[in-house]
Amino acid sequence: DIVMTQSPLSLSVTPGEPASISCRSSQSLLHSDGYNHLDWYLQKPGQSPQLLIYLGSSRASGVPDRFSGSGSGTDFTLKINRVEADDVGVYYCMQGVQIPVTFGGGTKVEIK
Amino acid sequence: QAQLQESGPGRVKPSDTLSLTCGVSGYSIIDEDYWWGWVRQPPGKGLEWIAYIYYGGDTYYNPSLKSRVTMSVDTSKNQFSLKLNSVTAIDTAVYFCARYHGVRGWFDPWGQGTLVTVSS
């Protein structure tokens, strides 16, 4: 199985400041289609996960441009410019390049 | 716009079979681009992929659960189902159903989730 490792485990951010979350995979997520099959999800408190970023860097419909994804191969980053109060929750990365689909352990983001 | 809703018992006894159904509204389950899946989350823990199914019936299961899991699809009712047999306390979790893009590989949207507790 591909192991997904996120860091940090938690993050406390002042509103308006940037935030960055790292996700590393134990194997390359580069698919034969030329895309990195890495997604980012946000699970707000008491809610189901929602898709933020797919294929490493493509924003899902309706996701603010404050969110951006980057990286390739085994190292990926989710960046939030100017964190807002509504961004609190747990962020997960997920790989879909190989069965079984696997998720990172999550990064909890809170507001200072 | 697709909406997914899980349904099923909130409590299952140890060694019994957990059965859940995901109803899909606003979107036909018969779409060649999508698979339909299940992900679970034990209380206070992370996400674990269980399985997904194509409208034609093809399935992929997580090897860690494969011996106990069965998925099925009912296109006439626009829904799909999950069965997990021989459950124990470690199967206690919130179970989410979600649509999975077969090419781009993302889950979206997700159902609200349903808590299933394994307890006698």
Side-chain angles (χ1 to χ4, degrees):
Chain A
D1 298 5
I2 295 178
V3 177
M4 306 297 288
T5 304
Q6 289 182 231
S7 61
L9 291 179
S10 64
L11 206 49
S12 184
V13 188
T14 300
E17 293 297 306
S20 181
I21 300 170
S22 172
C23 177
R24 290 183 173 177
S25 57
S26 61
Q27 299 176 40
S28 175
L29 303 186
L30 183 61
H31 192 274
S32 57
D33 62 11
Y35 293 99
N36 288 282
H37 283 231
L38 183 284
D39 306 326
W40 290 97
Y41 297 86
L42 165 59
Q43 187 174 29
K44 295 182 179 181
Q47 296 185 19
S48 54
Q50 58 186 83
L51 177 68
L52 295 176
I53 302 287
Y54 63 94
L55 296 179
S57 60
S58 295
R59 265 190 308 277
S61 176
V63 174
D65 60 7
R66 302 183 289 104
F67 292 90
S68 64
S70 63
S72 183
T74 61
D75 290 340
F76 298 88
T77 302
L78 175 70
K79 292 184 179 178
I80 312 172
N81 291 331
R82 305 181 307 280
V83 170
E84 297 182 0
D86 190 50
D87 299 336
V88 297
V90 181
Y91 289 78
Y92 293 95
C93 59
M94 185 202 90
Q95 69 80 19
V97 76
Q98 182 184 106
I99 297 291
V101 170
T102 48
F103 293 86
T107 295
K108 186 174 184 178
V109 172
E110 60 180 20
I111 299 297
K112 282 184 181 176
Chain B
Q1 182 172 346
Q3 291 187 313
L4 287 76
Q5 178 68 57
E6 306 87 352
S7 61
R11 185 177 298 275
V12 180
K13 293 182 178 180
S15 79
D16 282 357
T17 297
L18 178 161
S19 296
L20 296 173
T21 296
C22 182
V24 180
S25 60
Y27 196 89
S28 174
I29 206 169
I30 302 174
D31 186 313
E32 64 182 21
D33 287 337
Y34 292 102
W35 294 63
W36 304 89
W38 293 95
V39 175
R40 70 180 182 179
Q41 184 174 38
K45 296 188 178 180
L47 301 166
E48 179 184 32
W49 171 69
I50 301 171
Y52 46 62
I53 190 167
Y54 197 58
Y55 75 87
D58 290 345
T59 53
Y60 284 97
Y61 298 126
N62 190 321
S64 69
L65 297 168
K66 187 174 183 178
S67 63
R68 299 194 292 130
V69 172
T70 303
M71 278 194 72
S72 61
V73 62
D74 187 336
T75 56
S76 67
K77 294 182 179 179
N78 217 43
Q79 65 184 34
F80 57 101
S81 299
L82 172 74
K83 290 188 184 297
L84 178 66
N85 60 38
S86 305
V87 297
T88 68
I90 62 171
D91 294 312
T92 293
V94 175
Y95 286 75
F96 298 100
C97 59
R99 185 179 64 176
Y100 183 76
H101 197 287
V103 174
R104 297 191 177 90
W106 41 248
F107 284 106
D108 181 69
W110 297 58
Q112 65 181 29
T114 185
L115 174 63
V116 179
T117 302
V118 179
S119 171
S120 55

